Amino acid sequence: MSWVKWGVFALVLAAIVHWAAVAYAPTLIMSRVMSAIGAKGTNQIGHGERATAASRRIVKPSPDLLYSQCVFDVSRRPLRITTAAPTDTYWSVAFYAANTDNFFVLNDTQAKGQPATIILMGSAQNVPPQPEGTLVVTAPTTRGIVLFRTLINDDAREGELDQQRKAAKCEPM
Amino acid sequence: MNFVLSLVASIVAAVVVGLGSAYFAVQSAMPAGSVVKNGPWSANLAAGGTNADNYTRTAVAIGGLLALNKDETIYYGTSEDGAGEQFDPKCAYRIEGRDPDARWWSITAYAKDHFLINHPSKRYSVSKTSVVRAADGSFVIRVSTAQAEQNWIAASPDGFQLTLRLYNPGTSVRDDPAGVALPTITKEACS
């Protein structure tokens, strides 16, 4: 082939590499994080320590929050998530798809400060009728992360809030 | 032999150009209209959202994974002062303002690798509930490697960046994220 044809070949290949890198990087990075924080298994909750400079799993952690997390897999059955309801502070539970999208979030104001129950199901699943007030959310991907945030609005309350947030649950139905 | 050499050279060039162009596209990300600039601060309003494109998703995955969507939290970031100059770790910076319109806010310093700065003081951030205000409600925060009296955030001698989080942003922020009053950043003394 002439150098012109090799040049065209290289440009087309470069475009494919560019597209693939941007298309798959979010999923690959999420996959690595899910493997790291879900090392103990999926569909169960874990409670992280308050972030310090030694916290290296997830970029830009907030040092003012307590994070709890659940790597979910709804490929076989839905998941029941129960939030804790730490008092007099901001808290939220956020759902992330495998491509990093934050597809659902509920905070303490929306939950009126009360514990909330959320059923997370796959797109091909159905759930039986649930008690009034139960939220049902469809996950756009079978795997992802549920992240619970509790704001430490006063350092003196850290121990109390740490205990309160541990009432949260993440369990298969 | 020439064929093999040309093939290998083309593939190597394609990978370098493909990955390099992807890197720069992500660094300078982003979809028009989703990035707002407010003084030295900038925010990608598509971060965390379900309508983000893959450039935004990749940028967020690298520098702000598991961000909340803009209705819940807006994340402003900067690595420069109000004059548009990159932060110099040899200098101290003065952040001045009043409470932004949000239920809760914080300003946190991160190292260039996007993790918290390793400093024995563990003074990573100042927030709405920890900041010490003047009688008129205004506050001054200092970011420097040398310890300051109060409202101090430890900087890294290897460089740093700042993130301003606005949890449950108020109407004025949501309506005008590029124009709403945010804390100013001024360079002070340099060593």
Side-chain angles (χ1 to χ4, degrees):
Chain A
M1 287 201 296
S2 70
W3 67 270
V4 175
K5 287 180 180 174
W6 282 115
V8 171
F9 169 73
L11 280 176
V12 170
L13 195 57
I16 293 170
V17 170
H18 176 110
W19 173 84
V22 174
Y24 291 106
T27 307
L28 286 173
I29 292 170
M30 270 293 276
S31 180
R32 284 185 57 187
V33 169
M34 286 191 285
S35 297
I37 67 176
K40 292 180 180 174
T42 55
N43 299 339
Q44 57 183 278
I45 198 163
H47 304 286
E49 300 286 327
R50 186 172 186 175
T52 68
S55 307
R56 315 290 292 181
R57 283 181 175 171
I58 300 172
V59 293
K60 290 192 177 170
S62 170
D64 303 299
L65 298 175
L66 290 170
Y67 295 98
S68 301
Q69 66 283 329
C70 171
V71 175
F72 71 77
D73 182 347
V74 292
S75 59
R76 296 178 61 192
R77 48 185 172 165
L79 202 60
R80 176 181 282 108
I81 290 120
T82 309
T83 69
T87 53
D88 301 323
T89 193
Y90 168 90
W91 59 261
S92 66
V93 56
F95 293 58
Y96 297 88
N99 65 356
T100 76
D101 285 0
N102 173 204
F103 63 89
F104 180 77
V105 60
L106 180 78
N107 64 36
D108 62 302
T109 303
Q110 294 161 331
K112 298 183 171 59
Q114 298 299 309
T117 301
I118 303 160
I119 306 298
L120 181 66
M121 64 179 192
S123 56
Q125 294 169 340
N126 291 301
V127 294
Q130 297 294 313
E132 189 177 343
T134 300
L135 299 166
V136 178
V137 176
T138 302
T141 55
T142 55
R143 283 172 56 80
I145 296 174
V146 180
L147 190 62
F148 303 77
R149 290 173 165 88
T150 302
L151 170 65
I152 305 168
N153 55 2
D154 180 348
D155 284 342
R157 295 193 65 209
E158 181 178 346
E160 170 197 354
L161 294 168
D162 185 36
Q163 285 303 310
Q164 290 182 354
R165 59 132 175 187
K166 289 178 177 170
K169 295 177 184 170
C170 179
E171 51 202 356
M173 289 183 72
Chain B
M1 191 64 182
N2 276 345
F3 177 85
V4 173
L5 282 176
S6 298
L7 181 64
V8 170
S10 298
I11 291 173
V12 169
V15 170
V16 170
V17 171
L19 291 180
S21 62
Y23 174 80
F24 284 110
V26 167
Q27 289 295 311
S28 59
M30 320 267 193
S34 69
V35 175
V36 294
K37 184 90 175 147
N38 184 323
W41 303 101
S42 61
N44 186 343
L45 302 180
T50 53
N51 57 354
D53 67 11
N54 282 332
Y55 291 97
T56 294
R57 287 190 180 109
T58 302
V60 168
I62 293 170
L65 189 65
L66 304 181
L68 289 160
N69 64 51
K70 65 180 176 156
D71 295 327
E72 189 66 17
T73 302
I74 294 180
Y75 303 85
Y76 288 93
T78 186
S79 55
E80 62 184 40
D81 62 19
E85 295 179 6
Q86 291 287 306
F87 289 142
D88 181 346
K90 293 190 180 73
C91 303
Y93 290 87
R94 175 186 176 95
I95 302 175
E96 198 167 6
R98 294 174 179 275
D99 287 88
D101 181 16
R103 180 178 170 195
W104 187 77
W105 59 267
S106 68
I107 297 174
T108 309
Y110 293 96
K112 286 185 171 178
D113 63 4
H114 306 301
F115 291 105
L116 291 167
I117 293 166
N118 188 14
H119 192 282
S121 68
K122 296 188 176 180
R123 296 289 287 268
Y124 304 122
S125 69
V126 170
S127 73
K128 179 176 181 176
T129 44
S130 69
V131 72
V132 178
R133 298 176 182 80
D136 66 356
S138 65
F139 58 75
V140 173
I141 298 168
R142 283 193 167 73
V143 185
S144 60
T145 53
Q147 187 157 356
E149 284 296 311
Q150 61 183 17
N151 294 343
W152 170 60
I153 301 173
S156 166
D158 298 323
F160 65 94
Q161 55 184 310
L162 298 175
T163 295
L164 168 62
R165 290 177 167 86
L166 301 184
Y167 277 80
N168 295 161
T171 308
S172 64
V173 178
R174 282 183 277 121
D175 288 352
D176 188 13
V180 71
L182 295 178
T184 59
I185 305 174
T186 309
K187 182 159 69 178
E188 294 191 312
C190 301
S191 59

